[in-house]
Amino acid sequence: MPDDARPATRRRYVRAVGPRLKRLLALVFGMFALLTVNGVYLGAVTAAEAATGATYQNYFYQLMFLGHLLLGFVMLPIVVVFGVAHIKAAHDRPNRTAVNVGYALFAATLVLLLSGVVLTRIEGLEAVTARDPQARSVAYWIHVVAPVVVGWLFVLHRLSGPKLHWSVGLRWAAVAGVFALGMLGLHSQDPKAWNVEGPASGEQYFFPSLSRTATGDFIPADTLVMDDYCLECHADVHARWANSVHRFGSFNNPAYLFSVRETRQVAFERDGDVQAARFCAGCHDPVPFFSGAFDDPDFDDVNHPTAAAGITCTVCHAITHINSPRGNADYTIEAPSHYPFARSENPLLAWTNRQLVKAKPAFHKKTFLKPLHKTEDFCGACHKVHLPPELNGYKWLRGQDHLDTYRLSGVSGHGVTSFYYPQQAEPNCNGCHMPLQASDDFGARDFDGSGALSVHDHLFPSANTAIPHLLDLPPEVIEAHRAFNDGVMRVDLFGIKEGGTIEGALHAPLGPVLPELQPGGRYLLETVIRTLKMGHVFTQGTSDSNEIWLDLVIRDGDRVIGRSGGRAPEGDVDPWSHFVNSYVVDREGHRIDRRNAQDIFVPLYSHQIPPGAGDVVHYAFEVPDDATGPLTVEAALRYRKFDTLYMRYFQGESFDGNEF
C-alpha cells in the first residue's frame, strides 16, 4: 500500500493535569482554601474597624495575619511551578478558550501573590516593595480585588473543561463566612477602650496625680521601656529623643532628682508615706510610677532599673485619653498591644515581628499615634500644673500653665490682646516644638507636599540648655535650643523722661533723633521687654528657678556710669537686677529656692510676660557733672534655666560656676 494511503496514526491523549500535577494542584487548592477563610476573616475585621472607628485587631488577629503572609509566600513558588508545568502540557490544546482563560488565570494569580509581596516590605527586598502611601494603596486594592478576579477566571476556565463541582466551593465559602462572623463576634466583646477615662479604682495607686491606667492596675515596667524596639525602625526619631529633656525628665535629671528627693522626704516625715510625691511622678517618673515602684519609701532613685528611664517612647504613645484639661497628668495610659514576638530575643522571631509591622503598619500606627497626640490638650496634660492640698497641706494653687496661656495667645489664633500675631496661627504645640526634620525612617512621610520625607523632631527644642550641658550631651543639642529661641524676645530702649520720674517729660521713641542730656541731670530710661513668637507666658515652666534678667550698662565714653544686671565670678547675679521670673515664698516668707513645691505659699511677685505682650522696666540714672559724652546704653536679656543658688544646691561640691 502506498505510504500516502496508510491511515493516520491517532495521537495518544495526554491529560493536561497528570498524576503528579494533580497532587500539586490539590496542594494549591488546599492552600487557596485556607487563604480564603483567613482572608475573609482579616477583611471582616478591617471592614468592621472602618465602619465603627473602633480597633478590633488583637493578638489572634496578628497571628492570623502572620499565617496569611506565610501561606502566601509558600504558595507563590508552588503556583509558579504548577502554572509553568500546566501551560507546557496544555498550551497547544484545541480548546483555545480554556487555554486563553488559563493564561489569564495564571497571570491574575501571580498579580494576587506578588501584590502581597509588594505590601510586605521584606528587609533586603526594598526595591520590590512599596513605601509610598499612594503606591501601597494601589497595591492593597489590587490585592483585595484580585481574589475575586481569580475566582471568576477559575470558573470560566473550568466551564470550558471538565465538569465543575460547585458544592466544594460553596462549602468552603460557608466555612469562611461562618468563621469570619464567629471570630468577629468574639472581637466585638472587647474592642480597644480608647478615648475612655480609666476606672476610678486606680486612684488608690496614683492620686494625687490625676493619671489613670486603662485597667486601674499597674503596668509592668518592661512594657513601658521598649525604646530599643522603637530604635529598630525609627533611628532618627530615637536619636533626637535620646538627647531630649523628656528623656532626662526623671531621676536621671540632677536638678529634678534633688527636688523630688526633698518632696519624698517631707511627705514621708509628715504623712508616713511618699504618696504626696505622686504629684510629681505622673509626668516626671512614669515608669516607676505606673509599675508600682515609686511608692516604696526606700526606692533606689539611682540604681533601680526604672530610675533612669525618663519619659520613654511608649509612655507618651501609650496614652489613650486625656481625661480633662486640668493638667497634673490627667490622662489614661494602657499597656499597648504589640505584634507577636515583639519582645523576643530570638533573631528569627524578632525579624518576623519587624516584617509584620512593616507589612501591616496601620495597626502599629493606630496603636501608637492617636489623634489626641496632635492636640495641645495632650501636651497640656503635663505642661499645666496645680498644687493640690495633698501636696502642700494648704489649698489648691495654680502652678505653671502652658496650656491656657497658649490658648489665649495670638499664636494660637484665639487671643485678641496680643501685640504680635504670626502670619499663620499654630493649631497645636507641635508646630513649634516638634518641627519637621528630613529623615528616611520607616515612619517618615511627605508632610508638606514637597516630595521630601520627614519626621517630627523629638528633641522638642525649647529653652533648656542647662540639662544638655550638665549631662555632657552633644554640642548640637545646646545649639538647637539656642537656635529655637532666636527672635523669641526683643528689648527696646524706648524713651527718656526728664527729672527721673514717671511724670517727667517724655522723649520717645529714641531714634533716629536722640535727646541731648545735661551733665548733672537726672533721667528715667524706659526699657521694654517684648515677647514675639512665643505661644505662652515668658518665662514658663519652673519660673521660680529660671534666671532671666535684664543686663543694662550706661557708659560715658569708655567709663561705666551705671550698671544693673552684673554678675559675680561664680555667676551670681546682682540681686537688685530686674528679673523676668516669679519670686515665690513659703509660710515664713522664705524664698522657694530649691524647687520645693510642697512649701509654696504665695508669689511675692510675678514678672512673667504674656505672649505677644511687653513689660516696661524703668531705670533711673544721673549724668555725672563731668560727663563729656557721648552716653551709650547697652541692654541685653540674659537667660539661664536654673539660678545660681539652685545650681549650688543640686550640684553640691561639683558646682564650678553657673554658665547655662
Side-chain angles (χ1 to χ4, degrees):
M1 180 182 293
D3 291 343
D4 58 358
R6 292 176 182 174
T9 303
R10 173 177 287 185
R11 184 178 180 183
R12 188 172 64 89
Y13 176 76
V14 178
R15 294 182 62 86
V17 179
R20 285 186 295 180
L21 273 185
K22 193 172 184 178
R23 288 193 291 269
L24 199 59
L25 179 60
L27 182 58
V28 170
F29 280 161
M31 298 181 73
F32 190 81
L34 291 176
L35 275 173
T36 298
V37 175
N38 173 275
V40 171
Y41 160 73
L42 296 177
V45 173
T46 301
E49 290 185 341
T52 65
T55 300
Y56 295 100
Q57 297 181 38
N58 58 14
Y59 195 79
F60 177 77
Y61 175 93
Q62 299 302 331
L63 290 176
M64 289 291 286
F65 183 73
L66 177 60
H68 189 83
L69 296 180
L70 292 175
L71 277 172
F73 278 104
V74 171
M75 190 175 177
L76 178 57
I78 296 174
V79 166
V80 171
V81 170
F82 172 81
V84 171
H86 186 44
I87 289 173
K88 184 178 180 181
H91 72 281
D92 57 352
R93 298 291 169 128
N95 188 345
R96 302 315 300 170
T97 300
V99 171
N100 292 331
V101 173
Y103 289 150
L105 174 60
F106 183 53
T109 304
L110 290 180
V111 168
L112 168 63
L113 295 171
L114 291 176
S115 62
V117 173
V118 168
L119 290 169
T120 304
R121 293 194 284 202
I122 307 171
E123 291 179 7
L125 296 178
E126 287 82 1
V128 297
T129 59
R131 177 172 180 174
D132 180 75
Q134 292 184 344
R136 286 187 62 81
S137 179
V138 171
Y140 173 79
W141 284 109
I142 290 175
H143 197 65
V144 169
V145 174
V148 179
V149 177
V150 168
W152 173 63
L153 290 173
F154 174 76
V155 171
L156 290 181
H157 183 61
R158 289 299 303 273
L159 288 175
S160 302
K163 183 180 179 181
L164 187 62
H165 299 287
W166 291 97
S167 59
V168 176
L170 293 175
R171 283 198 296 268
W172 271 110
V175 169
V178 170
F179 178 79
L181 291 175
M183 293 308 303
L184 191 60
L186 294 178
H187 279 275
S188 65
Q189 295 178 15
D190 187 28
K192 284 291 181 184
W194 293 339
N195 304 313
V196 176
E197 184 174 354
S201 58
E203 288 189 3
Q204 61 181 315
Y205 303 121
F206 309 122
F207 189 78
S209 169
L210 300 179
S211 55
R212 307 274 184 88
T213 60
T215 62
D217 208 338
F218 293 121
I219 298 175
D222 61 350
T223 301
L224 299 175
V225 185
M226 297 185 66
D227 307 317
D228 289 341
Y229 175 72
C230 305
L231 172 62
E232 293 178 357
C233 291
H234 303 291
D236 290 342
V237 170
H238 184 280
R240 298 290 281 181
W241 165 84
N243 289 314
S244 71
V245 180
H246 280 183
R247 166 70 179 85
F248 297 101
S250 185
F251 300 108
N252 52 358
N253 177 319
Y256 173 74
L257 177 63
F258 173 84
S259 175
V260 74
R261 276 179 173 173
E262 178 174 332
T263 299
R264 287 170 62 87
Q265 179 182 350
V266 169
F268 185 74
E269 292 174 353
R270 184 188 68 190
D271 307 328
D273 56 49
V274 297
Q275 293 181 9
R278 293 172 176 174
F279 154 82
C280 312
C283 290
H284 281 277
D285 317 300
V287 178
F289 185 47
F290 291 120
S291 62
F294 185 87
D295 274 3
D296 181 1
D298 298 320
F299 175 77
D300 188 340
D301 55 25
V302 174
N303 299 309
H304 192 276
T306 66
I311 302 170
T312 66
C313 309
T314 301
V315 165
C316 276
H317 288 279
I319 291 175
T320 61
H321 185 56
I322 302 303
N323 306 327
S324 81
R326 291 183 294 173
N328 280 27
D330 197 4
Y331 59 77
T332 296
I333 186 172
E334 70 165 3
S337 300
H338 283 282
Y339 293 73
F341 321 125
R343 296 184 178 86
S344 177
E345 297 181 0
N346 180 284
L348 177 60
L349 294 181
W351 180 88
T352 301
N353 176 78
R354 289 196 297 274
Q355 307 321 303
L356 278 172
V357 174
K358 293 180 177 181
K360 189 71 172 178
F363 173 69
H364 183 74
K365 181 178 179 180
K366 195 166 186 178
T367 300
F368 290 99
L369 187 60
K370 307 170 188 70
L372 65 90
H373 289 113
K374 303 175 184 179
T375 67
E376 68 271 23
D377 283 317
F378 176 73
C379 302
C382 280
H383 291 275
K384 179 178 178 179
V385 177
H386 63 262
L387 310 180
E390 292 78 12
L391 173 71
N392 58 26
Y394 173 41
K395 67 176 182 178
W396 188 99
L397 294 173
R398 166 60 66 211
Q400 63 169 290
D401 185 359
H402 290 78
L403 179 61
D404 293 339
T405 56
Y406 159 76
R407 282 182 167 151
L408 294 174
S409 74
V411 172
S412 70
H414 298 291
V416 297
T417 59
S418 293
F419 294 153
Y420 166 78
Y421 292 89
Q423 290 185 347
Q424 183 174 352
E426 287 290 353
N428 56 54
C429 310
N430 301 335
C432 288
H433 293 285
M434 297 186 72
L436 295 177
Q437 64 171 121
S439 172
D440 60 356
D441 271 6
F442 175 68
R445 51 177 289 199
D446 180 8
F447 286 94
D448 54 11
S450 65
L453 296 178
S454 58
V455 294
H456 287 284
D457 189 355
H458 281 63
L459 180 66
F460 311 101
S462 53
N464 194 334
T465 55
I467 296 304
H469 172 70
L470 294 169
L471 298 180
D472 198 26
L473 298 183
E476 57 266 24
V477 177
I478 294 177
E479 291 307 314
H481 288 286
R482 284 177 171 164
F484 178 81
N485 286 287
D486 184 33
V488 167
M489 305 295 293
R490 173 174 165 176
V491 177
D492 292 315
L493 301 177
F494 175 69
I496 291 283
K497 287 187 174 181
E498 297 180 2
T501 65
I502 295 294
E503 294 80 12
L506 174 64
H507 300 274
L510 295 179
V513 178
L514 298 176
E516 183 175 336
L517 307 186
Q518 300 299 317
R522 183 173 176 82
Y523 299 92
L524 195 69
L525 174 65
E526 293 201 336
T527 307
V528 180
I529 308 173
R530 294 176 57 191
T531 55
L532 296 179
K533 61 181 184 180
M534 289 208 54
H536 48 73
V537 169
F538 181 84
T539 176
Q540 246 313 346
T542 55
S543 62
D544 53 305
S545 62
N546 292 163
E547 193 166 55
I548 302 96
W549 74 100
L550 197 57
D551 186 0
L552 187 136
V553 182
I554 303 178
R555 291 184 174 89
D556 172 28
D558 295 331
R559 178 177 57 154
V560 175
I561 64 171
R563 177 77 184 269
S564 175
R567 284 171 285 180
E570 285 192 338
D572 300 81
V573 180
D574 177 3
W576 292 101
S577 304
H578 178 79
F579 293 93
V580 188
N581 60 1
S582 300
Y583 196 102
V584 187
V585 297
D586 62 16
R587 289 172 172 81
E588 285 72 41
H590 301 129
R591 183 189 170 211
I592 300 296
D593 56 9
R594 305 183 309 281
R595 295 295 302 139
N596 44 319
Q598 68 279 353
D599 298 323
I600 290 177
F601 187 67
V602 68
L604 182 64
Y605 68 71
S606 175
H607 288 166
Q608 295 174 291
I609 305 174
D615 185 22
V616 180
V617 186
H618 303 278
Y619 290 94
F621 68 96
E622 292 183 359
V623 179
D625 291 334
D626 59 350
T628 59
L631 294 186
T632 60
V633 180
E634 296 178 5
L637 189 66
R638 311 290 186 188
Y639 174 89
R640 288 171 174 166
K641 173 61 179 174
F642 303 119
D643 66 38
T644 305
L645 180 58
Y646 188 44
M647 292 276 284
R648 282 197 180 93
Y649 280 136
F650 72 78
Q651 285 196 283
E653 295 180 358
S654 64
F655 176 78
D656 60 356
N658 189 359
E659 298 179 26
F660 289 83

